[in-house]
Every structure is written in structure tokens, then in C-alpha cells.
Amino acid sequence: MDSLLALKELNISEEETISLDEYIKTYDISRRKSLVEIINAIFGKKIKIYDVPTSRLSNVILSLKCINNFCPQPSVNAGYISVNTIASKIGIYTDAIYRTLEAGLLPFKADGRKKLIRIEDYESFNEQFVFIKEIATKNKCNPTNLADKLIDEGITPISGPKIDNNIVYIFRRVDIENVDIKKIVSKSKYKANTGRIAKSDHSTSYHKLIEDMALITTSEAAQILDISSQMLGKLLKAGEINLYQNPQLPAYKKYLKTADLNDYISRYRENPNLIEYSAAARFMGESPERFQSTWVKYKRITTIDDGLKNKYVNRESLEKLKLFKNEAISIQEASELKGIDRSYFSNLIKLNKIQPVSGPGIDEYGNYFLNRQEIEKHRHENWW
């Protein structure tokens, strides 16, 4: 790690960065180089190091531009997209995409055992057709129930379980755009096309209670949030979302109110007043690690946890912090700017040679900030 630290660049703070861990997790296997190749490229100065925040190799921060130059997209498949990528984008099983290909709805080419789809073909397909999961996710409802309601409304799918053996329904996008989808979602009486018994057709009282109270099961809620049941359990334990308790409901299933789920989504994921943690760091022109050590650690800005360890910050507070950063500079940043040890500035402060604009003894914060203009225009010899 000391050898890597010696290669750290001090003049690439404006570049976009990526951690080694993010690279390994997010880059397609066709682009990914081995860890040995990456390390050799770093020592060969083909990839710049931005920061070495901890002793863990996976946390090393690299230049995104260098990574992309070193790991280019293979030209043989340029312009193509994989089945896995499409399935991930939509949030459905890969088998549904394979069956869509087999039905002839989407042309593809074989690359060994892989099937690749031209991006233009996928975009054309996406303009004409829509998977039920996309409609259900947008309207925060169960895909199976919604498919039943659409079919009951006279909207015919072009692909699905009872049409071409696909495991999900696909509709013409124009058919969906021409109906009042919110009205269809709220339907309580409909014929079940999948062979299930529609909730409203049951004689027992708890089904009516589910409809009247707009309840959904925990598994349906997890699907809408695109998280596992275990992660939903963490939200319940943290009190972010509460179970709906009623002795009339069957004990083998757990329910919550759709309104409570929508409230959770509005508080975090769709809250225009919040910005996601890594996006906040980019807004400040810093790595997440620097953002943490400079601003969060000293409570200059407060993070908000959504119960799933995803952090957000208040957008207005962040914008004020950016304005403060334009006027002030931390001791760490000043030492990097001037190429001198940070203890030099600490000594200047102790000797009253330079006056901080914020920090201990000035306001409630624990780290010092100096006047940026003063630091930038002075040579350090002039302070003595």
C-alpha cells in the first residue's frame, strides 16, 4: 500500500474517479481486466491513483478516464447489449428475455453461448412494446394483478403465459398510453386471466379488507422497492415502514399499507430535497472518502439514512456548503495546494500568523478552514 501511496497524483482533483471495488462490481466481464493487470497498469503509470484512503486495496480511488482507456469496450460487440443487461434494466428474469427472443419479437445474434441484441433493435422494441413489470413499477402495484386488470379491460398482450409461453406479459406501448392507467390500477373487480381467483371474488371478509385498505404483502412491497425480503425486514425493524396489524388477516401472510410504502419512497428515493451521498460528493468535486473526512465527520453536513444504509444529504444544505467551499479551504486542501505539510498551517494558526474563518474557538466545528483567496495568492514564506 505504501508503494501505491507513493504513486498518488496531486493534480487530478477535477477528474471523475472510481474505486477499485466499484470497478470490479460494475464493469461488464467483457471489459474487466484482472486485478494483477490493473495493479501492473498502476505501477506502469497507465492508470492514475487519486487517493489511497485506507489500507484496503479495494478502496483505492482511480482515475475513471484512465480505467476506461485501459479497459475499452470490445469492438467485436460494439453496438450490442446482452440479455443480462436488458433484464437488469427492466428488473425481470433473464428467462423472460430469452423467451421474447425465441418468440421472434426481438432479433439477436449468437456469440458462442451468449445472445446479443443490437442497441438499435432494443430501442425500437422498447418504443413499441412494454413489459408488465415496467408498468407495475411505475404505478407501484403488483405485476400479476395489473396484467389481469388490463386484460379484463380489453387490452390484449402480444406475448405472455397463455399466448406464446412467455413467463411475463408484454403489451403494445400505445395501448397503455391510450388508457387511464390509474383508473385500471384501482379496479377492485376483474376477471383473473392467470387462473388465480381474483381477490374480489372471494367470499371471506379479509379479502375485502385488503381491497378497502389498499394493502399489499411484504413480498409485493419488496418487489416494488427492488430489494430482498431480508432488506425489507430491516426497514420494518427500523420503523421506516410498519406492518398493518389486524386479527381478520390470515396469519401466514404479512401486509402493509400501500400509502405507507409510497410515503417511504417519497421521503427518500423520490424526494427532490435530497441528493444521494456519492452524487453529493461529486457535486462538491470530491471523492466520497474526502467528502466524509472533511464535511460529514465534523458535522458540517448531516447525512440521512433510508434504513437500508443508503445515505442522502439535504440539497439546500449541500448548495450552501458548496458556496462556503468557494470562499474557504480546509487545511488538508491547502497543504495539497501549496505542496507543504499540513502541520505548517497548524503552526501558523497557533502563532496567530493566519486567521481561520471557521473551526475550533470560532464556531462549533472541529476542523479549521482558511480564507481560500488568501491561501491561493500568498507564498508560504510571506506568513513568517
Side-chain angles (χ1 to χ4, degrees):
M1 294 301 296
D2 290 339
S3 298
L4 290 176
L5 190 59
L7 295 170
K8 176 180 172 182
E9 298 272 348
L10 297 177
N11 59 347
I12 61 169
S13 59
E14 299 302 317
E15 285 194 23
E16 289 189 73
T17 59
I18 185 171
S19 71
L20 188 55
D21 185 52
E22 286 177 305
Y23 163 76
I24 293 169
K25 288 180 179 178
T26 60
Y27 273 57
D28 188 272
I29 193 167
S30 62
R31 295 184 65 188
R32 205 181 306 152
K33 302 284 188 180
S34 70
L35 185 58
V36 173
E37 289 176 298
I38 293 293
I39 297 301
N40 287 338
I42 291 171
F43 282 107
K45 296 190 176 180
K46 294 179 181 178
I47 299 176
K48 295 179 182 178
I49 288 187
Y50 174 74
D51 202 1
V52 187
T54 69
S55 59
R56 292 180 58 190
L57 185 62
S58 62
N59 286 339
V60 171
I61 308 298
L62 307 172
S63 161
L64 182 59
K65 180 180 178 181
C66 291
I67 280 286
N68 286 333
N69 288 340
F70 187 68
C71 310
Q73 183 72 34
S75 59
V76 64
N77 292 329
Y80 285 83
I81 191 169
S82 70
V83 168
N84 285 343
T85 302
I86 294 176
S88 177
K89 277 178 176 285
I90 302 170
I92 61 176
Y93 297 110
T94 55
D95 191 37
I97 305 298
Y98 281 118
R99 296 197 188 197
T100 302
L101 301 183
E102 291 167 6
L105 295 172
L106 192 53
F108 65 92
K109 80 166 185 174
D111 181 19
R113 297 177 63 182
K114 291 173 63 177
K115 291 181 178 178
L116 300 172
I117 299 93
R118 281 202 321 158
I119 292 174
E120 292 87 347
D121 290 336
Y122 171 67
E123 290 175 345
S124 176
F125 172 87
N126 198 43
E127 287 177 3
Q128 299 178 64
F129 308 112
V130 58
F131 286 89
I132 187 64
K133 177 65 183 293
E134 180 185 329
I135 312 170
T137 300
K138 185 176 181 180
N139 291 278
K140 301 181 179 66
C141 61
N142 178 271
T144 305
N145 289 350
L146 181 57
D148 283 343
K149 293 175 182 180
L150 289 168
I151 294 170
D152 186 64
E153 196 71 17
I155 302 170
T156 305
I158 64 157
S159 178
K162 292 191 174 183
I163 300 172
D164 53 12
N165 203 34
N166 203 336
I167 61 173
V168 295
Y169 282 104
I170 303 173
F171 291 84
R172 291 180 179 84
R173 197 174 285 275
V174 65
D175 291 343
I176 303 302
E177 292 171 348
N178 288 335
V179 298
D180 186 344
I181 191 67
K182 293 188 181 299
K183 182 178 179 181
I184 293 175
V185 168
S186 64
K187 284 181 66 167
S188 59
K189 294 183 178 180
Y190 58 94
K191 182 179 178 181
N193 185 64
T194 58
R196 300 173 302 107
I197 300 174
K199 292 178 182 178
S200 57
D201 291 338
H202 285 275
S203 57
T204 50
S205 61
Y206 76 81
H207 290 98
K208 187 175 187 308
L209 176 63
I210 291 170
E211 295 287 353
D212 291 345
M213 296 299 297
L215 305 178
I216 58 173
T217 65
T218 51
S219 60
E220 290 172 337
Q223 285 182 345
I224 291 170
L225 292 175
D226 195 24
I227 59 176
S228 66
S229 297
Q230 290 79 5
M231 295 299 283
L232 183 69
K234 290 184 178 181
L235 289 181
L236 295 171
K237 187 175 181 179
E240 291 286 355
I241 305 176
N242 297 313
L243 290 175
Y244 177 76
Q245 306 289 346
N246 193 306
Q248 297 181 51
L249 294 173
Y252 62 89
K253 282 188 176 182
K254 293 177 180 172
Y255 295 86
L256 50 89
K257 290 183 179 181
T258 303
D260 289 347
L261 181 65
N262 291 341
D263 178 65
Y264 171 80
I265 293 171
S266 298
R267 282 203 312 276
Y268 299 109
R269 298 187 181 184
E270 296 179 0
N271 189 342
N273 297 319
L274 298 183
I275 183 168
E276 191 269 330
Y277 189 86
S278 59
R282 289 195 296 273
F283 179 78
M284 295 293 287
E286 300 170 347
S287 69
E289 292 76 15
R290 175 62 65 84
F291 185 71
Q292 162 69 28
S293 63
T294 304
W295 310 105
V296 179
K297 178 181 177 181
Y298 294 99
K299 298 181 179 179
R300 289 184 179 272
I301 195 162
T302 303
T303 60
I304 300 165
D305 194 309
D306 67 355
L308 297 172
K309 296 187 178 179
N310 298 314
K311 293 181 180 179
Y312 300 83
V313 298
N314 180 273
R315 188 180 295 274
E316 183 179 352
S317 298
L318 186 68
E319 289 171 350
K320 288 180 180 178
L321 199 63
K322 184 66 175 286
L323 292 175
F324 174 76
K325 183 181 178 180
N326 290 339
E327 301 294 330
I329 187 170
S330 69
I331 289 182
Q332 179 63 38
E333 192 180 357
S335 69
E336 292 172 1
L337 178 67
K338 294 299 183 180
I340 54 180
D341 193 270
R342 57 178 297 153
S343 62
Y344 179 88
F345 289 100
S346 299
N347 290 331
L348 286 176
I349 293 171
K350 289 177 183 177
L351 296 171
N352 291 321
K353 296 286 186 178
I354 191 169
Q355 296 298 319
V357 296
S358 177
I362 302 170
D363 47 33
E364 71 272 24
Y365 301 114
N367 58 337
Y368 283 115
F369 271 79
L370 311 173
N371 182 289
R372 179 177 290 276
Q373 190 176 33
E374 183 179 354
I375 298 300
E376 289 177 347
K377 74 179 181 179
H378 278 70
R379 293 178 59 84
H380 65 268
E381 295 89 348
N382 295 339
W383 282 306
W384 295 97

